[in-house]
Structures are given as C-alpha cells and as structure tokens.
C-alpha cells in the first residue's frame, strides 16, 4: 500500500529553535530511500506504508537521542485504491485547475 | 516506546456519513488490545508504538475493504522519554490545574 | 456557519509540562460560551465559526502572555451544509454502529 | 499577530478528485493578499492572524458553494513573540543545518 504523508515534528525541551531536529529527520527520511519534500510547516513523504512509518518511528528515536525528552507530532496521510498518485501529480492536478 | 496518539480517518467516496467506517476502526483498534477513547473528532489511542501503528494500518485496510477508494487521515502522536504518562494522567493533569 | 473543531495547542519554551497552558485555554474557550470537551490529545469545540475562531486566537494570546514565546497548534475543523450536527450526535452515531 | 499556517481542506460528497476545490481555495488565499505555497498535502500560508483566518473561512464558504455539503479540514498554525520568522526563513534554517 502506497501512502502520501505529511509530517510535522515538534520537539519539546530543546529550546525555541527546532531546525536542527527537523534537519535530522530530513536525513532519516532521505536515507530511508523515501521521496520527500520539505515545506514551511512539515515534510511531504511518499513511499510504501511500512517504509514510511518505520522512518517516522526512526525520526522520533533520533530526536529523542538528540536530547528532546518530549515530542508532539502531527501527520496527515492518505491512501487510495482507485489509482496510483504521486506527490508531483497531486500538485500538478491543482495547478492545472488554477490555469484553467 | 509508548505512544499516545489521536486518529481521525476521513474516507472519501462513501457519501457524507462516515460513522460506519469510524465504528469499524474502533473495532480494529479495540481488538488490537489498545486503550482507546472515541471523541467528537477522532479517537485517542494509547499503547506500544508498533502495535498502535500496525492497528492504524489495519484501519486503512479495513476502510478500503468497506468500499472507500480514498482515505485522508490526520494523526497526532506524542512520545516522551522523561517519564511514562497515560491518557488518563494527561487529562487529570489539566483538570487539576482547572480546579486550582 | 456552525463548526465542530478539535484544538491541540503545543507551547514551546515553557518546559515539558504544558497542562497549565492547556487549562488556561480551557478557561478561555469555556468563558467564550462554547461547548467544549477535553480529551487526551486536544479539546473538542462546537459553536459558531466566528466565535470559535475568536476564542482560538484568544488562546494563543493568553498562552503567549503566560510566557510561551512560541506556540505550534494543530486544529481539525468541519462544517456541513446538508444538516446540523452536534458533537454529541457525532459520537452517538458511531456508538450506534458499534452496537449494531 | 503574525501566523504561519498550513491548511489541508478535504471536501466530502464531491467524488474522489478534490483538486478543483483545492484550486479554488488557492485563489481565495491568493486574492486575500496572503503569501502562500502549495505542497502535496496542503498549503503554507503566511500573514496577519485575522486575514489568514478570514481567508480560511472564505475557503470553506467557497467550497460549500461549489457543491460540497461537508468539509473536514486540518490546520497547523504557529505564532511566536520572540521574533518574526517567515516561511522562507523556516525552510532556510533547516536547509542550513542539512548542509552543515
């Protein structure tokens, strides 16, 4: 089962800047071979369900290991059985309607 | 790693009422032995990380099998290494402050 | 336009316990005359759109005033034009399917 | 109060493709003079609190007017009092850590 997800990790107890922890998660997701794209309030992730969620678990483990005693994340995730759809196709589909 | 999560599943293509699909997910989560509590915009879930996320995957599989070709879910999930905390303790902690 | 929402406020820079800030938001929402219900990962809110969102803004203002320099919140919110639906009805509708 | 938000609107009852409705929201947000950026699971929005939330309300109104009887949205939104921060700065901050 393919999934397109959007992950936002909020580490607590590491101060107000969390970009170091977000960058570490980018590396985790990227090294997991997933297609990802960072935006201003999270990261788009595309891949097989088990690989995506294994990488998300690894993100929490890594951010805890970096010194954050508490993490509160939010995730959107979508699956469909009618057809395959990539992140790029989702964006292109909206952009086509915008030009129409 | 223990996790407290909050899941909201939105099936598309099954009409405007989605309570049948939500109820099916409640059964999936409950049969997985997880501690859950339904609220008006999702379900609180408490358990071990792998069990919680295996059950969430099963929810998507079951809702697809019920006829929804597309599902868009949102999830909050929190982990902490400083101490264990249950769903009940989270609520009690806020309620104590409200009474103070 | 009526809305049913679910708010989770995460204050940064106030330490690992955030129950004091959550309790303050409960008071804000409650004093705004909204129907609310606390759960383990947020608060259900029911009311008129403008009143709900004015109260959510007030929550951010109050939590900043309590000393949190940064807040990251997540919100689910649903509207419908086919019929009115309360938080209680949403829950009852799922529970009926569970008993069926 | 400035806010950086991330909006994902899920219209129900309009079929499986929702790109037409998403495109309409892009137009609403853009015509409101907000800084926005579409990604694969939502739209980043930057602006003054009242303008951002007025535009989000308008999105729900417009999508209902397009024929969706039910909408379930999810939103992340962050405010900070310690300093101003734009969407571009948030991304740049993570990218700097990735290069380090």
């Amino acid at each position: 089962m393919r999934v397109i997800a959007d992950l936002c990790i909020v580490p607590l107890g590491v101060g107000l800047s969390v970009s170091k922890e977000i960058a570490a998660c980018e590396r985790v997701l990227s090294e997991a071979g997933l297609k990802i794209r960072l935006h201003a309030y999270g990261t788009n992730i595309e891949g097989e369900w088990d690989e995506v969620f294994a990488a998300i678990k690894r993100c929490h483990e890594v951010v805890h290991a970096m010194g954050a005693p508490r993490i509160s994340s939010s995730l959107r995730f979508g699956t469909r059985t009618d057809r395959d759809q990539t992140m790029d196709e989702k964006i292109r589909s909206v952009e086509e309607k915008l030009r129409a």
Side-chain angles (χ1 to χ4, degrees), chain A:
Chain A
M1 186 163 54
R2 300 287 291 180
V3 64
I4 295 181
D6 188 60
L7 174 65
C8 173
I9 283 191
V10 181
L12 281 86
V14 294
L16 297 184
S17 171
V18 299
S19 51
K20 196 166 46 114
E21 287 76 14
I22 307 300
C25 292
E26 293 292 299
R27 276 193 209 99
V28 165
L29 298 167
S30 181
E31 285 165 11
L34 301 166
K35 197 166 184 317
I36 62 171
R37 198 167 55 172
L38 176 71
H39 60 79
Y41 222 127
T43 302
N44 294 165
I45 312 171
E46 179 185 327
E48 286 300 314
W49 181 288
D50 290 344
E51 291 168 24
V52 168
F53 282 90
I56 290 172
K57 182 186 183 185
R58 183 90 190 107
C59 288
H60 267 236
E61 290 169 341
V62 163
V63 173
H64 280 310
M66 289 173 79
R70 187 173 188 175
I71 305 171
S72 188
S73 294
S74 87
L75 185 76
R76 298 175 187 133
F77 54 107
T79 54
R80 51 197 308 176
T81 53
D82 58 330
R83 65 180 186 94
D84 283 335
Q85 191 186 34
T86 64
M87 301 192 307
D88 288 342
E89 285 163 353
K90 284 186 78 171
I91 290 175
R92 208 177 309 135
S93 177
V94 174
E95 288 177 339
E96 281 168 9
K97 303 296 186 304
L98 281 171
R99 279 192 301 270

